[in-house]
Amino acid sequence: MSDDADTDRAVVKTFVPTYQKDEWKRHADDLDMSQSEFVRTMVQAGRRGFGLESGAGESANRAEGPSDAPDPRGDGLETRLLDLLNSDEYLSWDRLVEELAGDFEDRLEETLQELQNENRVQYSGRRGGYTVTNDGE
């Protein structure tokens, strides 16, 4: 795949009821995002939530292992960073960390919850942390 293919943009059109568009606009404004950035982010988040494939040979949670994808570092950070930087002229270091860390924190919380539901991990308030259980083996 050429470098140009990684940065090419395409228009996607959809039709939603006016009230929904207004709601999305308000939410995007609250998050200081453009409408395009908001919709793109929500679609990608939904795809991860459904465990859908995110691209050729890549799992939705690419941190699980290496892939043959154009981003060999594995977690799509480069793509997510470029998406953020395309939304505004300049973003501070703190804002970039906040935007990117939030995604990781959500994924971490979801994964911990799944592991607890499977009884593979447990939390101990008394000991102040998580540990692997013997029951989940």
Side-chain angles (χ1 to χ4, degrees), residues 110-122:
E110 181 181 312
T111 301
L112 279 170
Q113 187 62 49
E114 289 172 7
L115 290 170
Q116 288 178 89
N117 290 343
E118 296 169 3
N119 202 28
R120 295 172 57 196
V121 167
Q122 72 179 15

Side-chain angles (χ1 to χ4, degrees), residues 26-44:
R26 279 191 302 276
H27 198 171
D29 289 345
D30 289 346
L31 295 170
D32 196 28
M33 299 170 93
S34 69
Q35 288 182 49
S36 293
E37 180 184 15
F38 176 78
V39 171
R40 182 174 53 249
T41 301
M42 294 302 111
V43 168
Q44 287 304 104

